[in-house]
Amino acid sequence: MTPEQTIAHYLKRMAPEIERALPSHMNADRMARIAMTTIRTNPQLLQCSVPSLLGAVMQAAQLGLEPGLIGHCYLVPFRNNKENRMDVQFIIGYKGMIDLARRSGNIESIYAHCVYEADEFDYELGLNPKLYHKPATGHRGALKYVYAVAHFKDGGYQFEVMDVEEIERRRKRSKAANNGPWVTDYEEMAKKTVIRHMWKYLPISIEIQQQSAQDEVIRKDIASEPVSVYSDAIDISV
């Protein structure tokens, strides 16, 4: 079999495990189709170890997030120098973080926006915090800020603002700073970065907090626990 046929074969065999992991509104056939579409879009994934690729798919299933173009999560190939092979890293996307936050049941709405040089933008903290953003039309110039806002069902709200310099500092700390979604979907990852920074102030359950922590992880296979790529055992080449 070709590498693509091999992965399709294993996904079919994994269907019962995927089905048990998925939330009720998703099914194993759809997850397998989405995974195969993602793999065809990024052929480098076929060069990765099969167990880590299947583990990343299982991680997506357990969180109820769809990999690929929708932006829920990403499957990113990287060089595991210690094991001398290509493995797959699982990364939660901006829309995935939004989806996890909404599951708490305490958030009315949550969103993030980019601010560019030509936009009208102002914010103030303190006893009476406020935020104003009027996007420009036409060419808006370079990215300057990213902000996130969460409105709670009890009427409260929380917002965070981050300038592009701080976003860059956080990007450079990422093991996937120069590949994957930071290259293909920079603005989406910048939005996710601000939401993650705001996460500790949101009224969300311990379970959701634990789910959101399963970010930038690798699984050796579908049965193993996710391990942060920031452990000393993992070295990602860039």
Side-chain angles (χ1 to χ4, degrees), residues 63 92 96-104 199 208 211-212:
L63 296 186
I92 299 175
M97 293 295 289
I98 293 289
D99 188 71
L100 290 175
R102 285 174 173 163
R103 293 179 195 176
S104 67
W199 204 254
I208 299 297
Q211 288 179 338
S212 68

Side-chain angles (χ1 to χ4, degrees), residues 157-172:
Y157 67 92
Q158 177 72 35
F159 74 81
E160 292 290 331
V161 179
M162 196 173 289
D163 61 35
V164 71
E165 289 79 11
E166 178 61 24
I167 290 169
E168 275 295 288
R169 282 194 290 270
R170 292 168 185 259
R171 178 190 69 82
K172 290 174 182 177

Side-chain angles (χ1 to χ4, degrees), residues 55-233:
V57 173
M58 180 58 75
Q59 187 67 34
Q62 289 180 337
L63 296 186
L65 301 177
E66 296 182 354
L69 297 176
I70 196 173
H72 273 176
C73 61
Y74 301 90
L75 311 181
V76 182
F78 70 93
R79 181 72 189 175
N80 184 338
N81 288 328
K82 185 169 184 179
E83 301 293 338
N84 192 30
R85 67 174 183 236
M86 294 291 291
D87 280 334
V88 180
Q89 176 185 359
F90 173 85
I91 297 178
I92 299 175
Y94 162 64
K95 292 181 180 177
M97 293 295 289
I98 293 289
D99 188 71
L100 290 175
R102 285 174 173 163
R103 293 179 195 176
S104 67
N106 297 316
I107 295 176
E108 187 70 33
S109 65
I110 181 170
Y111 51 87
H113 290 292
C114 294
V115 180
Y116 299 88
E117 286 177 322
D119 295 355
E120 294 181 32
F121 180 72
D122 189 27
Y123 73 98
E124 183 177 310
L125 303 178
L127 294 178
N128 297 292
K130 63 180 182 180
L131 185 149
Y132 171 79
H133 180 207
K134 183 178 180 180
T137 57
H139 181 65
R140 297 170 65 188
L143 180 67
K144 290 189 65 178
Y145 300 95
V146 178
Y147 66 90
V149 181
H151 295 274
F152 310 143
K153 289 189 174 180
D154 64 4
Y157 67 92
Q158 177 72 35
F159 74 81
E160 292 290 331
V161 179
M162 196 173 289
D163 61 35
V164 71
E165 289 79 11
E166 178 61 24
I167 290 169
E168 275 295 288
R169 282 194 290 270
R170 292 168 185 259
R171 178 190 69 82
K172 290 174 182 177
R173 292 202 295 265
S174 171
K175 296 291 188 178
N178 298 313
N179 67 330
W182 273 116
V183 175
T184 61
D185 300 285
Y186 183 90
E187 291 182 359
E188 297 295 286
M189 289 298 288
K191 293 175 185 178
K192 170 202 164 181
T193 299
V194 181
I195 288 178
R196 283 196 64 177
H197 181 67
M198 185 174 66
W199 204 254
K200 56 183 174 288
Y201 304 116
L202 302 182
I204 54 181
S205 67
I206 295 298
E207 179 185 7
I208 299 297
Q209 296 218 23
Q210 290 172 340
Q211 288 179 338
S212 68
Q214 306 305 313
D215 189 18
E216 300 194 39
V217 296
I218 177 178
R219 295 174 68 155
K220 293 182 179 180
D221 52 57
I222 65 171
S224 63
E225 289 297 313
V227 177
S228 171
V229 296
Y230 295 97
S231 71
D232 292 338

Side-chain angles (χ1 to χ4, degrees), residues 5 9 31 50 79 97-98:
Q5 289 171 329
H9 171 72
M31 178 60 77
V50 173
R79 181 72 189 175
M97 293 295 289
I98 293 289

